[in-house]
Amino acid sequence: MTQEIEALLALQQDDLKIREIESQIRLLDPQLVDLDKKRDQAAAALTRAEAAVQVEEKKQRELQARLSQHKTLQERNLHQLEDVKRMREATAATAQVESTRRLMAEDEGELAILGRRISEMNAAIVASKQSLAAVEHEQQEARPEIESKRAALLSQMVDAKRDRDGKAGSVSRPMLGKYDRIRGKRTMALYALRGGSCGNCDTAVPLQRRHMMAGTGEIEVCEACGVLLYAEVG
Ligand SMILES: [Zn+2]
């Protein structure tokens, strides 16, 4: 095997390694995105729960105001009832007291229902706060882990690229250019002949050319798929 083939094979090893590191780094990004999404969802659930209870609490305040108006009215009604002397006025005043009592009972019934609803909603808020805190706690560990993985991969990448650049010097410039061009389009650029055919696409290479490649160590381009081909000698 010629030095050039050996150098290209070594270069290709490094390039595959670099590509592998790159794909591992890319896998980390969605993990961070997922963490953000999970946290945002938990925070949004809490915001929704808090907004919903505020609406109900506003209703509660309005109802309490209405009830206290009705109570004031009822006090007046009761005074009036004490004051009235004549029968017809007394009947009217009693009716007034009865009707206000019904209104107050309605107010109190609604307030009781609303109070139960609000306390359920407050329990939901507590639950939302707990799950947000759990998510944040979990992420306190997960985020630095991902970041340190990324830092480790980046430093591996720097080393691998330095190795690669060192080896690139042993390949002739035109061959390196060809190799890089082909590698830009596919994972691997250099293949060994396999049973007289291209190691990538399996198209047969004419016997004469194969002999020439084996004899001179020449690197040829596969006419079918365009990768670089070499003959493994011996
Ligand atoms: Zn081919």
Side-chain angles (χ1 to χ4, degrees):
M1 206 180 289
T2 65
Q3 271 185 352
E4 183 153 68
I5 295 172
E6 273 173 23
L8 262 183
L9 281 172
L11 199 62
Q12 180 157 270
Q13 276 303 315
D14 284 349
D15 282 330
L16 289 173
K17 196 164 135 194
I18 290 167
R19 199 177 283 246
E20 171 58 25
I21 296 170
E22 279 170 350
S23 78
Q24 283 179 30
I25 290 173
R26 269 198 306 275
L27 286 178
L28 295 178
D29 291 336
Q31 287 180 26
L32 280 175
V33 170
D34 279 354
L35 287 181
D36 284 342
K37 210 201 267 173
K38 223 171 145 189
R39 201 212 158 272
D40 290 350
Q41 278 170 352
L46 176 59
T47 307
R48 273 198 308 276
E50 282 171 342
V53 84
Q54 275 165 17
V55 170
E56 299 302 308
E57 280 169 351
K58 182 166 179 275
K59 275 190 213 159
Q60 190 183 40
R61 284 192 299 277
E62 286 163 1
L63 257 175
Q64 277 160 348
R66 198 168 81 191
L67 176 60
S68 77
Q69 277 171 8
H70 285 152
K71 278 182 178 163
T72 313
L73 177 64
Q74 190 70 323
E75 276 168 28
R76 232 184 296 144
N77 291 339
L78 291 169
H79 281 303
Q80 216 167 359
L81 187 58
E82 282 170 20
D83 290 348
V84 290
K85 307 279 187 298
R86 278 174 297 165
M87 196 55 197
R88 209 199 294 167
E89 281 175 20
T91 311
T94 307
Q96 189 65 41
V97 167
E98 272 314 305
S99 122
T100 305
R101 184 175 292 151
R102 270 198 307 278
L103 289 176
M104 283 166 61
E106 269 173 37
D107 293 343
E108 276 160 355
E110 280 179 52
L111 271 170
I113 291 168
L114 201 53
R116 279 195 295 276
R117 195 185 304 156
I118 286 171
S119 70
E120 279 166 17
M121 289 169 103
N122 279 323
I125 287 177
V126 170
S128 292
K129 275 183 183 160
Q130 280 166 349
S131 58
L132 178 58
V135 166
E136 278 171 346
H137 179 75
E138 186 187 294
Q139 298 204 354
Q140 263 171 14
E141 289 169 18
R143 275 177 203 279
E145 236 170 68
I146 292 173
E147 290 306 339
S148 77
K149 262 188 213 162
R150 184 200 300 278
L153 285 168
L154 285 175
S155 99
Q156 278 177 37
M157 173 93 96
V158 168
D159 291 347
K161 282 192 169 161
R162 199 178 37 229
D163 277 2
R164 197 253 184 216
D165 291 345
K167 282 169 195 164
S170 348
V171 180
S172 73
R173 266 182 177 277
M175 184 51 76
L176 187 62
K178 237 190 235 179
Y179 167 84
D180 280 336
R181 239 185 348 268
I182 297 168
R183 195 175 55 92
K185 290 177 238 157
R186 53 179 80 242
T187 313
M188 269 173 51
L190 181 63
Y191 286 84
L193 284 174
R194 192 175 52 208
S197 300
C198 168
N200 181 43
C201 73
D202 230 23
T203 302
V205 175
L207 189 65
Q208 207 187 339
R209 239 175 108 207
R210 264 155 47 204
H211 279 154
M212 187 272 290
M213 287 165 75
T216 61
E218 199 77 37
I219 293 170
E220 295 275 318
V221 173
C222 171
E223 283 167 3
C225 73
V227 301
L228 297 173
L229 289 174
Y230 69 96
E232 282 174 312
V233 189

